[in-house]
Amino acid sequence: MISDLEFEKAVAELEGKAAELRAMAIENEEVNLTKEADDLDKKAKSTLADLYKNLTPWRKCQVARHPMRPHCLAYVDALFAEFMPLAGDRNFAEDNAVIGGLARFNDRPIMVIGHEKGHDTQSRLHRNFGMARPEGYRKAVRLMDLADRFGLPVVTLVDTAGAFPGKGAEERGQSEAIARSTEKCLQIKTPLVSVIIGEGGSGGAVAFATADRLLMLEHSVYSVISPEGCASILWKDAAKMREAAEALHLTAQDMLKLGIADMVIPENSGGAHRHRDETIAAVGAAIEAQLQELEKIEPNKLLQSRRKRFLDMGAKRL
């Protein structure tokens, strides 16, 4: 059962009417309403396709945050074999908002790191809604060091509203941990591919996404702050999040135009939450294509190219 977003109400009504007609036909076998129900299903599908062709930035934010959208563990389970999770930052604690470990990707040894939001109330609380604490970023630094030592490519799966803003996290050096993780991304000499699969929020996302290649799903977003946070600061009114979303240029399409993202991975009509298997397969194919290119580059040149990529950012304008 897919929970519908606010702007999908018209689709939900059509699907509901189709279900009612089929229920009536089951109760009364003399009534044949199959054609009418099928027509409503077709209209619902067409309406959904039209909606997703012209999503506003704010609606893309809603889709990127959809609770049934596949999260990090769904990709790890489907794409990476022999996944061996590695825990702890060897300093303070384990951070369950960040998962990482050794795995095989298309029979290639690899290090995978990502944010995990959880899929129900219990797991979301356990994962802190994908908002990492300093320990999560320090764990990522440790795993990237390990990958660099053994020449393993690194794949990061980004899906976070941002780093956890709690008092304890700040006391333990949240900003320093994010900076160290970003720095480590710019130091390792192995291929680094990052995919934004949902939200890419603030420094919490940059810490994993400072990569050779940045891929974004079609309805993912990447921004320095959430639209609600931006609206609260600029207009002192969080209700102006729609205007903020427009101003932030946070969509995957905007990121591609600005030269921040290298590729937008298409999602089938209705978003990744309606087409989980197809979306995950498309992400896997995109990662494989990028790794094949990057593995041909000599390590020192790869490092120089990655650093130049970020030094050159800002030259393009919308």
Side-chain angles (χ1 to χ4, degrees):
M1 180 67 180
I2 299 294
S3 58
D4 295 292
L5 297 167
E6 183 184 357
F7 67 86
E8 297 175 329
K9 283 183 178 178
V11 177
E13 288 174 4
L14 289 168
E15 291 174 341
K17 289 176 182 176
E20 286 178 13
L21 291 178
R22 290 193 174 93
M24 289 171 59
I26 292 172
E27 291 177 3
N28 188 349
E29 295 181 358
E30 295 179 1
V31 178
N32 188 351
L33 298 172
T34 302
K35 184 180 183 303
E36 289 80 355
D38 288 345
D39 288 343
L40 285 171
D41 282 338
K42 288 178 183 177
K43 188 173 181 181
K45 188 175 180 179
S46 174
T47 302
L48 185 69
D50 290 340
L51 281 173
Y52 274 76
K53 280 179 185 175
N54 301 292
L55 289 179
T56 63
W58 172 243
R59 287 181 174 179
K60 280 186 178 285
C61 286
Q62 292 178 287
V63 176
R65 296 169 176 174
H66 198 288
M68 296 185 71
R69 193 174 177 87
H71 295 145
C72 182
L73 281 175
Y75 289 90
V76 171
D77 290 344
L79 299 176
F80 299 91
E82 300 177 34
F83 176 61
M84 180 183 292
L86 300 173
D89 65 346
R90 299 297 185 268
N91 183 35
F92 183 78
E94 162 67 343
D95 186 350
N96 294 308
V98 175
I99 66 163
L102 298 164
R104 286 191 175 275
F105 178 68
N106 294 342
D107 206 34
R108 174 197 292 108
I110 203 164
M111 185 70 76
V112 59
I113 305 168
H115 303 95
E116 174 57 40
K117 285 184 171 181
H119 60 277
D120 56 22
T121 302
Q122 185 177 357
S123 62
R124 285 169 193 148
L125 290 171
H126 178 65
R127 300 290 180 183
N128 200 33
F129 300 88
M131 295 185 292
R133 296 177 171 88
E135 300 75 56
Y137 297 107
R138 290 177 180 133
K139 174 168 69 173
V141 169
R142 181 171 73 85
L143 299 188
M144 283 189 270
D145 261 333
L146 188 64
D148 193 31
R149 193 182 314 158
F150 292 101
L152 304 177
V154 178
V155 172
T156 63
L157 302 170
V158 178
D159 189 13
T160 182
F164 183 62
K167 180 174 179 286
E170 296 297 342
E171 288 173 344
R172 296 193 302 278
Q174 182 74 289
S175 58
E176 183 266 347
I178 291 171
R180 294 292 181 191
S181 182
T182 306
E183 178 186 44
K184 184 56 63 178
C185 288
L186 292 168
Q187 291 176 339
I188 62 174
K189 294 183 179 181
T190 59
L192 174 53
V193 176
S194 181
V195 187
I196 298 181
I197 56 177
E199 290 183 275
S202 192
V206 173
F208 288 1
T210 310
D212 295 300
R213 299 286 187 273
L214 177 65
L215 317 180
M216 293 183 68
L217 279 172
E218 183 180 356
H219 303 311
S220 64
V221 293
Y222 192 25
S223 64
V224 70
I225 191 172
S226 70
E228 296 93 332
C230 177
S232 296
I233 292 170
L234 293 183
W235 295 290
K236 310 299 181 186
D237 183 3
K240 291 196 173 184
M241 65 275 192
R242 292 170 180 80
E243 292 89 336
E246 293 277 354
L248 284 167
H249 298 294
L250 45 61
T251 69
Q253 294 73 25
D254 288 335
M255 293 297 105
L256 189 65
K257 289 177 184 177
L258 288 166
I260 294 171
D262 297 285
M263 178 183 180
V264 175
I265 304 170
E267 297 181 36
N268 287 353
S269 179
H273 55 285
R274 285 186 170 85
H275 306 278
R276 294 174 65 89
D277 293 343
E278 295 91 334
T279 302
I280 291 171
V283 168
I287 293 172
E288 175 63 29
Q290 298 301 325
L291 286 177
Q292 285 186 8
E293 286 185 20
L294 294 170
E295 287 170 338
K296 297 174 184 176
I297 304 173
E298 191 267 332
N300 285 323
K301 289 184 179 179
L302 187 70
L303 184 59
Q304 291 172 8
S305 175
R306 188 186 310 141
R307 289 178 175 176
K308 185 177 186 302
R309 164 191 170 84
F310 287 91
L311 287 171
D312 289 346
M313 277 186 183
K316 291 188 179 181
R317 295 289 184 271
L318 286 175

mmCIF file with all atom_site columns, all heavy atoms in Angstrom, residues 7 17 25 74 76 78 84 92 97 101 104 107 126-127 148 179 189 192 194 196-197 240-241 299 316:
data_model
loop_
_atom_site.group_PDB
_atom_site.id
_atom_site.type_symbol
_atom_site.label_atom_id
_atom_site.label_alt_id
_atom_site.label_comp_id
_atom_site.label_asym_id
_atom_site.label_entity_id
_atom_site.label_seq_id
_atom_site.pdbx_PDB_ins_code
_atom_site.Cartn_x
_atom_site.Cartn_y
_atom_site.Cartn_z
_atom_site.occupancy
_atom_site.B_iso_or_equiv
_atom_site.pdbx_formal_charge
_atom_site.auth_seq_id
_atom_site.auth_comp_id
_atom_site.auth_asym_id
_atom_site.auth_atom_id
_atom_site.pdbx_PDB_model_num
ATOM 1   N N   . PHE A 1 7   ? -0.305  16.266  -3.135  1.00 0.00 ? 7   PHE A N   1
ATOM 2   C CA  . PHE A 1 7   ? -0.618  16.653  -4.508  1.00 0.00 ? 7   PHE A CA  1
ATOM 3   C C   . PHE A 1 7   ? -1.105  15.474  -5.360  1.00 0.00 ? 7   PHE A C   1
ATOM 4   O O   . PHE A 1 7   ? -1.489  15.659  -6.514  1.00 0.00 ? 7   PHE A O   1
ATOM 5   C CB  . PHE A 1 7   ? 0.599   17.329  -5.172  1.00 0.00 ? 7   PHE A CB  1
ATOM 6   C CG  . PHE A 1 7   ? 1.783   16.431  -5.398  1.00 0.00 ? 7   PHE A CG  1
ATOM 7   C CD1 . PHE A 1 7   ? 1.884   15.649  -6.542  1.00 0.00 ? 7   PHE A CD1 1
ATOM 8   C CD2 . PHE A 1 7   ? 2.811   16.372  -4.463  1.00 0.00 ? 7   PHE A CD2 1
ATOM 9   C CE1 . PHE A 1 7   ? 2.979   14.836  -6.756  1.00 0.00 ? 7   PHE A CE1 1
ATOM 10  C CE2 . PHE A 1 7   ? 3.912   15.548  -4.675  1.00 0.00 ? 7   PHE A CE2 1
ATOM 11  C CZ  . PHE A 1 7   ? 4.001   14.790  -5.814  1.00 0.00 ? 7   PHE A CZ  1
ATOM 12  N N   . LYS A 1 17  ? -12.072 4.938   -6.421  1.00 0.00 ? 17  LYS A N   1
ATOM 13  C CA  . LYS A 1 17  ? -13.326 4.670   -7.133  1.00 0.00 ? 17  LYS A CA  1
ATOM 14  C C   . LYS A 1 17  ? -13.243 3.359   -7.922  1.00 0.00 ? 17  LYS A C   1
ATOM 15  O O   . LYS A 1 17  ? -14.210 2.597   -7.973  1.00 0.00 ? 17  LYS A O   1
ATOM 16  C CB  . LYS A 1 17  ? -13.659 5.833   -8.067  1.00 0.00 ? 17  LYS A CB  1
ATOM 17  C CG  . LYS A 1 17  ? -14.100 7.099   -7.341  1.00 0.00 ? 17  LYS A CG  1
ATOM 18  C CD  . LYS A 1 17  ? -14.332 8.244   -8.311  1.00 0.00 ? 17  LYS A CD  1
ATOM 19  C CE  . LYS A 1 17  ? -14.730 9.516   -7.575  1.00 0.00 ? 17  LYS A CE  1
ATOM 20  N NZ  . LYS A 1 17  ? -14.878 10.672  -8.486  1.00 0.00 ? 17  LYS A NZ  1
ATOM 21  N N   . ALA A 1 25  ? -18.717 -5.268  -7.873  1.00 0.00 ? 25  ALA A N   1
ATOM 22  C CA  . ALA A 1 25  ? -18.861 -6.378  -8.812  1.00 0.00 ? 25  ALA A CA  1
ATOM 23  C C   . ALA A 1 25  ? -18.713 -7.728  -8.105  1.00 0.00 ? 25  ALA A C   1
ATOM 24  O O   . ALA A 1 25  ? -19.383 -8.703  -8.462  1.00 0.00 ? 25  ALA A O   1
ATOM 25  C CB  . ALA A 1 25  ? -17.822 -6.246  -9.921  1.00 0.00 ? 25  ALA A CB  1
ATOM 26  N N   . ALA A 1 74  ? 18.092  -0.937  1.498   1.00 0.00 ? 74  ALA A N   1
ATOM 27  C CA  . ALA A 1 74  ? 17.417  -1.590  0.375   1.00 0.00 ? 74  ALA A CA  1
ATOM 28  C C   . ALA A 1 74  ? 18.382  -1.730  -0.808  1.00 0.00 ? 74  ALA A C   1
ATOM 29  O O   . ALA A 1 74  ? 18.413  -2.764  -1.490  1.00 0.00 ? 74  ALA A O   1
ATOM 30  C CB  . ALA A 1 74  ? 16.178  -0.806  -0.036  1.00 0.00 ? 74  ALA A CB  1
ATOM 31  N N   . VAL A 1 76  ? 21.757  -1.698  -0.545  1.00 0.00 ? 76  VAL A N   1
ATOM 32  C CA  . VAL A 1 76  ? 22.831  -2.601  -0.135  1.00 0.00 ? 76  VAL A CA  1
ATOM 33  C C   . VAL A 1 76  ? 22.392  -4.054  -0.286  1.00 0.00 ? 76  VAL A C   1
ATOM 34  O O   . VAL A 1 76  ? 23.127  -4.889  -0.830  1.00 0.00 ? 76  VAL A O   1
ATOM 35  C CB  . VAL A 1 76  ? 23.254  -2.311  1.322   1.00 0.00 ? 76  VAL A CB  1
ATOM 36  C CG1 . VAL A 1 76  ? 24.205  -3.390  1.832   1.00 0.00 ? 76  VAL A CG1 1
ATOM 37  C CG2 . VAL A 1 76  ? 23.921  -0.943  1.414   1.00 0.00 ? 76  VAL A CG2 1
ATOM 38  N N   . ALA A 1 78  ? 20.143  -5.307  -2.247  1.00 0.00 ? 78  ALA A N   1
ATOM 39  C CA  . ALA A 1 78  ? 19.876  -5.698  -3.632  1.00 0.00 ? 78  ALA A CA  1
ATOM 40  C C   . ALA A 1 78  ? 21.112  -5.689  -4.524  1.00 0.00 ? 78  ALA A C   1
ATOM 41  O O   . ALA A 1 78  ? 21.233  -6.510  -5.438  1.00 0.00 ? 78  ALA A O   1
ATOM 42  C CB  . ALA A 1 78  ? 18.808  -4.769  -4.232  1.00 0.00 ? 78  ALA A CB  1
ATOM 43  N N   . MET A 1 84  ? 29.627  -6.959  4.675   1.00 0.00 ? 84  MET A N   1
ATOM 44  C CA  . MET A 1 84  ? 30.094  -7.153  6.048   1.00 0.00 ? 84  MET A CA  1
ATOM 45  C C   . MET A 1 84  ? 30.129  -5.791  6.738   1.00 0.00 ? 84  MET A C   1
ATOM 46  O O   . MET A 1 84  ? 31.053  -4.995  6.519   1.00 0.00 ? 84  MET A O   1
ATOM 47  C CB  . MET A 1 84  ? 31.484  -7.783  6.065   1.00 0.00 ? 84  MET A CB  1
ATOM 48  C CG  . MET A 1 84  ? 32.022  -8.007  7.481   1.00 0.00 ? 84  MET A CG  1
ATOM 49  S SD  . MET A 1 84  ? 33.706  -8.668  7.465   1.00 0.00 ? 84  MET A SD  1
ATOM 50  C CE  . MET A 1 84  ? 33.415  -10.310 6.772   1.00 0.00 ? 84  MET A CE  1
ATOM 51  N N   . PHE A 1 92  ? 34.443  6.890   20.231  1.00 0.00 ? 92  PHE A N   1
ATOM 52  C CA  . PHE A 1 92  ? 33.362  7.158   21.185  1.00 0.00 ? 92  PHE A CA  1
ATOM 53  C C   . PHE A 1 92  ? 32.247  6.121   21.136  1.00 0.00 ? 92  PHE A C   1
ATOM 54  O O   . PHE A 1 92  ? 31.899  5.532   22.146  1.00 0.00 ? 92  PHE A O   1
ATOM 55  C CB  . PHE A 1 92  ? 32.786  8.560   20.936  1.00 0.00 ? 92  PHE A CB  1
ATOM 56  C CG  . PHE A 1 92  ? 31.721  8.963   21.920  1.00 0.00 ? 92  PHE A CG  1
ATOM 57  C CD1 . PHE A 1 92  ? 32.064  9.383   23.193  1.00 0.00 ? 92  PHE A CD1 1
ATOM 58  C CD2 . PHE A 1 92  ? 30.381  8.916   21.571  1.00 0.00 ? 92  PHE A CD2 1
ATOM 59  C CE1 . PHE A 1 92  ? 31.084  9.747   24.117  1.00 0.00 ? 92  PHE A CE1 1
ATOM 60  C CE2 . PHE A 1 92  ? 29.401  9.274   22.481  1.00 0.00 ? 92  PHE A CE2 1
ATOM 61  C CZ  . PHE A 1 92  ? 29.750  9.698   23.759  1.00 0.00 ? 92  PHE A CZ  1
ATOM 62  N N   . ALA A 1 97  ? 22.910  5.774   12.378  1.00 0.00 ? 97  ALA A N   1
ATOM 63  C CA  . ALA A 1 97  ? 22.414  6.537   11.229  1.00 0.00 ? 97  ALA A CA  1
ATOM 64  C C   . ALA A 1 97  ? 23.295  6.329   10.001  1.00 0.00 ? 97  ALA A C   1
ATOM 65  O O   . ALA A 1 97  ? 22.878  6.600   8.879   1.00 0.00 ? 97  ALA A O   1
ATOM 66  C CB  . ALA A 1 97  ? 22.338  8.023   11.567  1.00 0.00 ? 97  ALA A CB  1
ATOM 67  N N   . GLY A 1 101 ? 30.567  -0.745  5.262   1.00 0.00 ? 101 GLY A N   1
ATOM 68  C CA  . GLY A 1 101 ? 31.257  -2.013  5.368   1.00 0.00 ? 101 GLY A CA  1
ATOM 69  C C   . GLY A 1 101 ? 31.799  -2.495  4.038   1.00 0.00 ? 101 GLY A C   1
ATOM 70  O O   . GLY A 1 101 ? 31.634  -1.849  3.002   1.00 0.00 ? 101 GLY A O   1
ATOM 71  N N   . ARG A 1 104 ? 30.864  -6.905  -2.052  1.00 0.00 ? 104 ARG A N   1
ATOM 72  C CA  . ARG A 1 104 ? 31.210  -7.139  -3.460  1.00 0.00 ? 104 ARG A CA  1
ATOM 73  C C   . ARG A 1 104 ? 30.131  -6.514  -4.321  1.00 0.00 ? 104 ARG A C   1
ATOM 74  O O   . ARG A 1 104 ? 28.943  -6.701  -4.075  1.00 0.00 ? 104 ARG A O   1
ATOM 75  C CB  . ARG A 1 104 ? 31.336  -8.628  -3.769  1.00 0.00 ? 104 ARG A CB  1
ATOM 76  C CG  . ARG A 1 104 ? 32.597  -9.253  -3.226  1.00 0.00 ? 104 ARG A CG  1
ATOM 77  C CD  . ARG A 1 104 ? 32.841  -10.650 -3.768  1.00 0.00 ? 104 ARG A CD  1
ATOM 78  N NE  . ARG A 1 104 ? 34.128  -11.153 -3.310  1.00 0.00 ? 104 ARG A NE  1
ATOM 79  C CZ  . ARG A 1 104 ? 35.284  -10.895 -3.924  1.00 0.00 ? 104 ARG A CZ  1
ATOM 80  N NH1 . ARG A 1 104 ? 35.290  -10.170 -5.020  1.00 0.00 ? 104 ARG A NH1 1
ATOM 81  N NH2 . ARG A 1 104 ? 36.410  -11.368 -3.444  1.00 0.00 ? 104 ARG A NH2 1
ATOM 82  N N   . ASP A 1 107 ? 30.976  -8.570  -8.380  1.00 0.00 ? 107 ASP A N   1
ATOM 83  C CA  . ASP A 1 107 ? 32.173  -9.372  -8.128  1.00 0.00 ? 107 ASP A CA  1
ATOM 84  C C   . ASP A 1 107 ? 33.429  -8.531  -7.923  1.00 0.00 ? 107 ASP A C   1
ATOM 85  O O   . ASP A 1 107 ? 34.557  -9.029  -8.014  1.00 0.00 ? 107 ASP A O   1
ATOM 86  C CB  . ASP A 1 107 ? 32.408  -10.381 -9.264  1.00 0.00 ? 107 ASP A CB  1
ATOM 87  C CG  . ASP A 1 107 ? 33.183  -11.598 -8.765  1.00 0.00 ? 107 ASP A CG  1
ATOM 88  O OD1 . ASP A 1 107 ? 32.995  -11.994 -7.593  1.00 0.00 ? 107 ASP A OD1 1
ATOM 89  O OD2 . ASP A 1 107 ? 33.993  -12.143 -9.536  1.00 0.00 ? 107 ASP A OD2 1
ATOM 90  N N   . HIS A 1 126 ? 15.792  4.213   15.888  1.00 0.00 ? 126 HIS A N   1
ATOM 91  C CA  . HIS A 1 126 ? 17.089  3.541   16.016  1.00 0.00 ? 126 HIS A CA  1
ATOM 92  C C   . HIS A 1 126 ? 18.129  4.192   15.115  1.00 0.00 ? 126 HIS A C   1
ATOM 93  O O   . HIS A 1 126 ? 19.298  4.334   15.507  1.00 0.00 ? 126 HIS A O   1
ATOM 94  C CB  . HIS A 1 126 ? 16.920  2.060   15.670  1.00 0.00 ? 126 HIS A CB  1
ATOM 95  C CG  . HIS A 1 126 ? 18.193  1.267   15.715  1.00 0.00 ? 126 HIS A CG  1
ATOM 96  N ND1 . HIS A 1 126 ? 18.914  1.055   16.871  1.00 0.00 ? 126 HIS A ND1 1
ATOM 97  C CD2 . HIS A 1 126 ? 18.888  0.636   14.717  1.00 0.00 ? 126 HIS A CD2 1
ATOM 98  C CE1 . HIS A 1 126 ? 19.978  0.328   16.601  1.00 0.00 ? 126 HIS A CE1 1
ATOM 99  N NE2 . HIS A 1 126 ? 19.984  0.071   15.306  1.00 0.00 ? 126 HIS A NE2 1
ATOM 100 N N   . ARG A 1 127 ? 17.702  4.590   13.924  1.00 0.00 ? 127 ARG A N   1
ATOM 101 C CA  . ARG A 1 127 ? 18.614  5.193   12.936  1.00 0.00 ? 127 ARG A CA  1
ATOM 102 C C   . ARG A 1 127 ? 18.686  6.713   13.055  1.00 0.00 ? 127 ARG A C   1
ATOM 103 O O   . ARG A 1 127 ? 19.381  7.364   12.256  1.00 0.00 ? 127 ARG A O   1
ATOM 104 C CB  . ARG A 1 127 ? 18.157  4.823   11.517  1.00 0.00 ? 127 ARG A CB  1
ATOM 105 C CG  . ARG A 1 127 ? 18.119  3.336   11.232  1.00 0.00 ? 127 ARG A CG  1
ATOM 106 C CD  . ARG A 1 127 ? 19.486  2.730   11.149  1.00 0.00 ? 127 ARG A CD  1
ATOM 107 N NE  . ARG A 1 127 ? 19.438  1.291   10.864  1.00 0.00 ? 127 ARG A NE  1
ATOM 108 C CZ  . ARG A 1 127 ? 20.512  0.525   10.793  1.00 0.00 ? 127 ARG A CZ  1
ATOM 109 N NH1 . ARG A 1 127 ? 21.712  1.046   10.972  1.00 0.00 ? 127 ARG A NH1 1
ATOM 110 N NH2 . ARG A 1 127 ? 20.402  -0.767  10.553  1.00 0.00 ? 127 ARG A NH2 1
ATOM 111 N N   . ASP A 1 148 ? 41.234  3.032   1.107   1.00 0.00 ? 148 ASP A N   1
ATOM 112 C CA  . ASP A 1 148 ? 42.406  3.597   0.446   1.00 0.00 ? 148 ASP A CA  1
ATOM 113 C C   . ASP A 1 148 ? 43.624  2.691   0.635   1.00 0.00 ? 148 ASP A C   1
ATOM 114 O O   . ASP A 1 148 ? 44.414  2.468   -0.284  1.00 0.00 ? 148 ASP A O   1
ATOM 115 C CB  . ASP A 1 148 ? 42.674  4.992   1.018   1.00 0.00 ? 148 ASP A CB  1
ATOM 116 C CG  . ASP A 1 148 ? 43.665  5.783   0.189   1.00 0.00 ? 148 ASP A CG  1
ATOM 117 O OD1 . ASP A 1 148 ? 43.710  5.592   -1.041  1.00 0.00 ? 148 ASP A OD1 1
ATOM 118 O OD2 . ASP A 1 148 ? 44.395  6.602   0.764   1.00 0.00 ? 148 ASP A OD2 1
ATOM 119 N N   . ALA A 1 179 ? 33.908  18.130  8.556   1.00 0.00 ? 179 ALA A N   1
ATOM 120 C CA  . ALA A 1 179 ? 35.040  18.657  7.785   1.00 0.00 ? 179 ALA A CA  1
ATOM 121 C C   . ALA A 1 179 ? 36.084  17.575  7.527   1.00 0.00 ? 179 ALA A C   1
ATOM 122 O O   . ALA A 1 179 ? 36.645  17.479  6.429   1.00 0.00 ? 179 ALA A O   1
ATOM 123 C CB  . ALA A 1 179 ? 35.664  19.833  8.532   1.00 0.00 ? 179 ALA A CB  1
ATOM 124 N N   . LYS A 1 189 ? 42.916  7.806   -2.834  1.00 0.00 ? 189 LYS A N   1
ATOM 125 C CA  . LYS A 1 189 ? 43.335  7.660   -4.228  1.00 0.00 ? 189 LYS A CA  1
ATOM 126 C C   . LYS A 1 189 ? 42.605  6.541   -4.950  1.00 0.00 ? 189 LYS A C   1
ATOM 127 O O   . LYS A 1 189 ? 43.071  6.045   -5.967  1.00 0.00 ? 189 LYS A O   1
ATOM 128 C CB  . LYS A 1 189 ? 44.849  7.423   -4.283  1.00 0.00 ? 189 LYS A CB  1
ATOM 129 C CG  . LYS A 1 189 ? 45.674  8.615   -3.812  1.00 0.00 ? 189 LYS A CG  1
ATOM 130 C CD  . LYS A 1 189 ? 47.159  8.358   -3.951  1.00 0.00 ? 189 LYS A CD  1
ATOM 131 C CE  . LYS A 1 189 ? 47.977  9.555   -3.511  1.00 0.00 ? 189 LYS A CE  1
ATOM 132 N NZ  . LYS A 1 189 ? 49.437  9.334   -3.657  1.00 0.00 ? 189 LYS A NZ  1
ATOM 133 N N   . LEU A 1 192 ? 35.763  7.132   -6.143  1.00 0.00 ? 192 LEU A N   1
ATOM 134 C CA  . LEU A 1 192 ? 34.713  7.456   -5.181  1.00 0.00 ? 192 LEU A CA  1
ATOM 135 C C   . LEU A 1 192 ? 33.482  7.924   -5.947  1.00 0.00 ? 192 LEU A C   1
ATOM 136 O O   . LEU A 1 192 ? 33.511  8.952   -6.634  1.00 0.00 ? 192 LEU A O   1
ATOM 137 C CB  . LEU A 1 192 ? 35.198  8.544   -4.224  1.00 0.00 ? 192 LEU A CB  1
ATOM 138 C CG  . LEU A 1 192 ? 34.210  9.131   -3.212  1.00 0.00 ? 192 LEU A CG  1
ATOM 139 C CD1 . LEU A 1 192 ? 33.543  8.046   -2.389  1.00 0.00 ? 192 LEU A CD1 1
ATOM 140 C CD2 . LEU A 1 192 ? 34.918  10.137  -2.295  1.00 0.00 ? 192 LEU A CD2 1
ATOM 141 N N   . SER A 1 194 ? 29.367  8.775   -5.567  1.00 0.00 ? 194 SER A N   1
ATOM 142 C CA  . SER A 1 194 ? 28.310  9.081   -4.604  1.00 0.00 ? 194 SER A CA  1
ATOM 143 C C   . SER A 1 194 ? 26.977  9.185   -5.332  1.00 0.00 ? 194 SER A C   1
ATOM 144 O O   . SER A 1 194 ? 26.899  9.731   -6.435  1.00 0.00 ? 194 SER A O   1
ATOM 145 C CB  . SER A 1 194 ? 28.615  10.398  -3.890  1.00 0.00 ? 194 SER A CB  1
ATOM 146 O OG  . SER A 1 194 ? 27.620  10.689  -2.938  1.00 0.00 ? 194 SER A OG  1
ATOM 147 N N   . ILE A 1 196 ? 22.961  10.385  -4.608  1.00 0.00 ? 196 ILE A N   1
ATOM 148 C CA  . ILE A 1 196 ? 21.933  10.955  -3.732  1.00 0.00 ? 196 ILE A CA  1
ATOM 149 C C   . ILE A 1 196 ? 20.632  10.254  -4.081  1.00 0.00 ? 196 ILE A C   1
ATOM 150 O O   . ILE A 1 196 ? 20.088  10.431  -5.172  1.00 0.00 ? 196 ILE A O   1
ATOM 151 C CB  . ILE A 1 196 ? 21.833  12.473  -3.892  1.00 0.00 ? 196 ILE A CB  1
ATOM 152 C CG1 . ILE A 1 196 ? 23.159  13.112  -3.483  1.00 0.00 ? 196 ILE A CG1 1
ATOM 153 C CG2 . ILE A 1 196 ? 20.686  13.033  -3.053  1.00 0.00 ? 196 ILE A CG2 1
ATOM 154 C CD1 . ILE A 1 196 ? 23.210  14.610  -3.563  1.00 0.00 ? 196 ILE A CD1 1
ATOM 155 N N   . ILE A 1 197 ? 20.160  9.436   -3.145  1.00 0.00 ? 197 ILE A N   1
ATOM 156 C CA  . ILE A 1 197 ? 18.990  8.600   -3.413  1.00 0.00 ? 197 ILE A CA  1
ATOM 157 C C   . ILE A 1 197 ? 17.702  9.207   -2.857  1.00 0.00 ? 197 ILE A C   1
ATOM 158 O O   . ILE A 1 197 ? 16.619  8.711   -3.138  1.00 0.00 ? 197 ILE A O   1
ATOM 159 C CB  . ILE A 1 197 ? 19.188  7.178   -2.833  1.00 0.00 ? 197 ILE A CB  1
ATOM 160 C CG1 . ILE A 1 197 ? 19.495  7.232   -1.334  1.00 0.00 ? 197 ILE A CG1 1
ATOM 161 C CG2 . ILE A 1 197 ? 20.306  6.458   -3.578  1.00 0.00 ? 197 ILE A CG2 1
ATOM 162 C CD1 . ILE A 1 197 ? 19.630  5.868   -0.672  1.00 0.00 ? 197 ILE A CD1 1
ATOM 163 N N   . LYS A 1 240 ? 6.696   29.485  4.119   1.00 0.00 ? 240 LYS A N   1
ATOM 164 C CA  . LYS A 1 240 ? 7.140   29.923  2.794   1.00 0.00 ? 240 LYS A CA  1
ATOM 165 C C   . LYS A 1 240 ? 8.165   28.949  2.202   1.00 0.00 ? 240 LYS A C   1
ATOM 166 O O   . LYS A 1 240 ? 9.002   29.330  1.387   1.00 0.00 ? 240 LYS A O   1
ATOM 167 C CB  . LYS A 1 240 ? 7.726   31.333  2.871   1.00 0.00 ? 240 LYS A CB  1
ATOM 168 C CG  . LYS A 1 240 ? 6.680   32.402  3.161   1.00 0.00 ? 240 LYS A CG  1
ATOM 169 C CD  . LYS A 1 240 ? 7.191   33.784  2.846   1.00 0.00 ? 240 LYS A CD  1
ATOM 170 C CE  . LYS A 1 240 ? 6.070   34.811  2.978   1.00 0.00 ? 240 LYS A CE  1
ATOM 171 N NZ  . LYS A 1 240 ? 6.500   36.166  2.594   1.00 0.00 ? 240 LYS A NZ  1
ATOM 172 N N   . MET A 1 241 ? 8.055   27.649  2.602   1.00 0.00 ? 241 MET A N   1
ATOM 173 C CA  . MET A 1 241 ? 9.031   26.671  2.124   1.00 0.00 ? 241 MET A CA  1
ATOM 174 C C   . MET A 1 241 ? 8.950   26.472  0.611   1.00 0.00 ? 241 MET A C   1
ATOM 175 O O   . MET A 1 241 ? 9.937   26.120  -0.023  1.00 0.00 ? 241 MET A O   1
ATOM 176 C CB  . MET A 1 241 ? 8.857   25.334  2.847   1.00 0.00 ? 241 MET A CB  1
ATOM 177 C CG  . MET A 1 241 ? 7.559   24.619  2.598   1.00 0.00 ? 241 MET A CG  1
ATOM 178 S SD  . MET A 1 241 ? 6.272   25.196  3.700   1.00 0.00 ? 241 MET A SD  1
ATOM 179 C CE  . MET A 1 241 ? 4.997   23.958  3.456   1.00 0.00 ? 241 MET A CE  1
ATOM 180 N N   . PRO A 1 299 ? 45.858  6.504   -10.083 1.00 0.00 ? 299 PRO A N   1
ATOM 181 C CA  . PRO A 1 299 ? 45.442  7.054   -8.785  1.00 0.00 ? 299 PRO A CA  1
ATOM 182 C C   . PRO A 1 299 ? 45.777  8.526   -8.547  1.00 0.00 ? 299 PRO A C   1
ATOM 183 O O   . PRO A 1 299 ? 44.930  9.297   -8.092  1.00 0.00 ? 299 PRO A O   1
ATOM 184 C CB  . PRO A 1 299 ? 46.161  6.151   -7.776  1.00 0.00 ? 299 PRO A CB  1
ATOM 185 C CG  . PRO A 1 299 ? 46.268  4.849   -8.472  1.00 0.00 ? 299 PRO A CG  1
ATOM 186 C CD  . PRO A 1 299 ? 46.506  5.191   -9.912  1.00 0.00 ? 299 PRO A CD  1
ATOM 187 N N   . LYS A 1 316 ? 29.634  27.675  -13.363 1.00 0.00 ? 316 LYS A N   1
ATOM 188 C CA  . LYS A 1 316 ? 28.384  27.611  -14.130 1.00 0.00 ? 316 LYS A CA  1
ATOM 189 C C   . LYS A 1 316 ? 27.266  28.316  -13.379 1.00 0.00 ? 316 LYS A C   1
ATOM 190 O O   . LYS A 1 316 ? 27.215  28.319  -12.160 1.00 0.00 ? 316 LYS A O   1
ATOM 191 C CB  . LYS A 1 316 ? 28.000  26.157  -14.389 1.00 0.00 ? 316 LYS A CB  1
ATOM 192 C CG  . LYS A 1 316 ? 28.935  25.449  -15.351 1.00 0.00 ? 316 LYS A CG  1
ATOM 193 C CD  . LYS A 1 316 ? 28.362  24.081  -15.704 1.00 0.00 ? 316 LYS A CD  1
ATOM 194 C CE  . LYS A 1 316 ? 29.291  23.368  -16.699 1.00 0.00 ? 316 LYS A CE  1
ATOM 195 N NZ  . LYS A 1 316 ? 28.759  22.045  -17.078 1.00 0.00 ? 316 LYS A NZ  1
#
